[in-house]
Amino acid sequence: AIPKVPRRLYRSICPPHIYFYSRMKTSAAAILAIVAASANGASAFVAPRAAPASSALSMSSSVDDKTEVREYFNTEGFSRWNKIYSDSDEVNSVQLDIRNGHDQTIQKILNWIEADGDIKGKTVCDCGCGVGSLAIPLAQMGAKISASDISDSMAGEAAARAKALGIRNAKFYTSDLESVTGKYNTVTCVDVAIHYPTEKMAEMVGHLCSLSNDRVLVSFAPKTWYYSLLKKVGELFPGPSKTTRAYLHEEQVVRDALKKAGFEVTREEMTGTNFYFSRLLEAKKV
């Protein structure tokens, strides 16, 4: 059965919980919510700085994104999101909604894996593991975990929590996604793609597939006209705190990349709360 993991373990892998623009009833409601969030001190949730509107991003700009993410989640970002994805009562309604949305995504993955009933003893590579929100419960289910994060602070926190729970079948280390190597039964990458520029998404998915012998699980913020509109609205109210760029991705691009790598989508889910949205795909090797 799925282990009952304390909520404090279901914390973000990365901050895509910037998915907060989410499914508002109307554009007017979106504006009011974003303004209210800013007024209530939820500066971490107002729209992150937009990517440059110039021509296609070069490899150097991709490196800049990577550096930005690493620095943010080793400093103020780690403190902020560590509080949000915990049992802390020091969160506002927006932060609580994001916490609940991320919990739902993690639980859907665990439900799928429990339904399959074959994870014990299998190898799992969790790319962008954050503080272990997915890796830790998978280890408790018997999987052999290799989990990495671009942030030392995130990976270190995940390792500390696993140790506190007596988990010995999980290894946590610091690495960017492109540098991860090896072969695993299952490869997971949850709520990380929001940091990848559009033209790098297919390459990123291809790399994940190259690590997997059997299955890939990936989530991303889907690019639709509605979510794109809300993202632009959010950019009208930049917060005082530095955040990372946020990228939405067309689902067909992800599906095509999976197919090109020899994987077929077998299950899919969509998680949407008021301030969090994430598309989840499971693909198995054909």
Side-chain angles (χ1 to χ4, degrees), residues 6-272:
R7 178 182 293 279
R8 65 187 176 82
L9 297 179
Y10 287 136
R11 304 181 183 176
S12 171
I13 294 176
C14 265
H17 330 92
I18 332 181
Y19 290 167
F20 67 92
Y21 314 106
S22 178
R23 305 186 311 173
M24 308 281 182
K25 296 294 184 182
T26 64
S27 295
I31 295 173
L32 290 175
I34 294 168
V35 173
S38 180
N40 288 330
S43 59
F45 305 101
V46 297
R49 184 158 51 85
S54 57
S55 57
L57 293 172
S58 65
M59 180 65 74
S60 63
S61 66
S62 176
V63 172
D64 290 341
D65 278 315
K66 194 183 301 183
T67 300
E68 190 175 70
V69 170
R70 180 186 294 110
E71 292 178 351
Y72 178 70
F73 285 101
N74 273 328
T75 54
E76 61 178 296
F78 172 73
S79 299
R80 181 173 293 118
W81 294 103
N82 200 33
K83 179 187 294 184
I84 294 168
Y85 289 88
S86 69
D87 286 328
S88 173
D89 293 327
E90 297 179 15
V91 291
N92 59 39
S93 59
V94 175
Q95 295 168 329
L96 180 60
D97 184 85
I98 294 170
R99 175 191 291 174
N100 292 336
H102 185 70
D103 282 2
Q104 290 178 36
T105 296
I106 295 299
Q107 193 59 51
K108 287 171 182 177
I109 295 174
L110 295 177
N111 288 344
W112 283 351
I113 291 176
E114 193 228 5
D116 292 341
D118 61 354
I119 196 65
K120 188 172 183 179
K122 297 293 182 64
T123 55
V124 175
C125 176
D126 188 16
C127 297
C129 67
V131 294
S133 57
L134 178 61
I136 288 176
L138 287 180
Q140 291 179 315
M141 294 171 74
K144 298 176 181 177
I145 305 295
S146 176
S148 61
D149 197 276
I150 195 171
S151 162
D152 278 328
S153 297
M154 290 286 189
E157 180 69 9
R161 294 184 187 190
K163 183 178 180 180
L165 290 170
I167 292 173
R168 298 184 178 181
N169 53 320
K171 176 183 72 173
F172 297 90
Y173 64 100
T174 304
S175 175
D176 60 43
L177 190 152
E178 293 89 342
S179 300
V180 176
T181 60
K183 281 290 186 179
Y184 308 87
N185 297 118
T186 294
V187 174
T188 62
C189 187
V190 180
D191 291 350
V192 174
I194 196 155
H195 302 302
Y196 276 77
T198 303
E199 77 281 1
K200 297 289 291 181
M201 185 62 177
E203 182 181 337
M204 186 267 273
V205 173
H207 180 63
L208 293 174
C209 291
S210 74
L211 302 172
S212 175
N213 288 324
D214 304 315
R215 168 173 57 185
V216 170
L217 289 155
V218 60
S219 74
F220 55 95
K223 185 175 183 178
T224 66
W225 70 267
Y226 186 60
Y227 292 151
S228 296
L229 174 62
L230 294 185
K231 181 175 183 293
K232 288 185 178 298
V233 170
E235 289 164 1
L236 298 176
F237 304 94
S241 299
K242 179 181 182 296
T243 57
T244 60
R245 294 179 178 91
Y247 298 96
L248 308 183
H249 299 286
E250 294 182 5
E251 183 172 336
Q252 194 57 50
V253 170
V254 180
R255 287 177 175 268
D256 288 347
L258 289 168
K259 184 177 181 179
K260 182 179 179 180
F263 286 74
E264 181 180 7
V265 174
T266 51
R267 287 184 285 205
E268 56 193 82
E269 274 284 0
M270 178 71 197
T271 300

